[in-house]
Amino acid sequence: MTSWSSVKGIVCDVNGTMFSLQPLGERMQQVGLQESDLQLWFTTVLRDGLATGASGSFAPFKDIGVYHLHQMLRKAGISGDHNQAVQTILSGFDDATCMADVAPAFKQMHAKGIKISTMTNGSMSITKGLLERAHVEQYVDEMMDITQPKAWKPSPAAYQFAVKQLNLNPEQVMLVAIHPWDCAGAKEAGLKAAYINRDGTPYPGFFAQPDAEFTSFEKFADALCQ
């Protein structure tokens, strides 16, 4: 871990990395969609978020997410109040809980003096609720979302904003995420990256490679703090 000796702060992805989106899938079933629609919805929202950036504009996660939920309900032929159905699905964020390996990792890194931040393509308010329910908000130095730099990850501007908020240099900051595209974006922006591979998905060869790969957040923290 000598190559990590310069790391003074981390930028942690939120959606999927810190918590599972499964509660939203359960809500989808409640309103008549399939639980399997969750992954399609998430990837479609990400696609269109990136498209806004590529075209020189910006739209937040919620605006794009709500639009696509309405379209999914319409195409599935589900009757009733679609506005209420969308709110039911999105209420799943309120029941989301941190992965079991997050709190021990945050405590360990905080004790070691590592600056901890979060940067999400979603909403900072969702991150705040998540951290409060896990009783780890006191370990987090900065909570950020893409509405601040008006740039979706993996745009370089999102990572550059996070680095600036931590008052560090890019090479002193490590992005932590389960998403290869997120790790690759951070690497291209000059940060280090740790790929949290909980399910054994091979990291793609066509992306900039992460500095390390771990099966859990806790194992990442052990390595960083040793």
Side-chain angles (χ1 to χ4, degrees), residues 22-86:
Q22 196 58 37
L24 278 77
E26 294 168 0
R27 299 299 191 286
M28 285 182 167
Q29 278 191 308
Q30 290 177 18
V31 303
L33 292 171
Q34 300 297 313
E35 193 169 354
S36 58
D37 289 330
L38 174 63
Q39 188 59 40
L40 173 62
W41 174 72
F42 183 73
T43 55
T44 303
V45 172
L46 179 63
R47 179 203 66 193
D48 284 2
L50 296 176
T52 63
S55 62
S57 62
F58 175 79
F61 185 97
K62 185 174 181 180
D63 289 1
I64 299 173
V66 166
Y67 170 81
H68 281 296
L69 286 175
H70 275 284
Q71 299 317 305
M72 293 176 80
L73 291 164
R74 179 182 63 83
K75 291 176 182 178
I78 294 172
S79 60
D81 187 343
H82 284 186
N83 288 327
Q84 182 58 53
V86 167

Side-chain angles (χ1 to χ4, degrees), residues 62-139:
K62 185 174 181 180
D63 289 1
I64 299 173
V66 166
Y67 170 81
H68 281 296
L69 286 175
H70 275 284
Q71 299 317 305
M72 293 176 80
L73 291 164
R74 179 182 63 83
K75 291 176 182 178
I78 294 172
S79 60
D81 187 343
H82 284 186
N83 288 327
Q84 182 58 53
V86 167
Q87 290 307 309
T88 296
I89 295 169
L90 294 180
S91 70
F93 281 117
D94 298 330
D95 290 338
T97 57
C98 275
M99 301 282 196
D101 57 357
V102 172
F106 273 29
K107 291 175 184 177
Q108 184 178 3
M109 290 185 291
H110 176 77
K112 192 72 173 180
I114 303 294
K115 287 186 176 182
I116 301 172
S117 70
T118 59
M119 169 58 88
T120 179
N121 277 341
S123 165
M124 196 190 311
S125 63
I126 292 173
T127 303
K128 187 174 187 295
L130 185 73
L131 295 174
E132 288 175 349
R133 288 191 294 276
H135 306 292
V136 294
E137 71 276 12
Q138 68 270 28
Y139 304 125

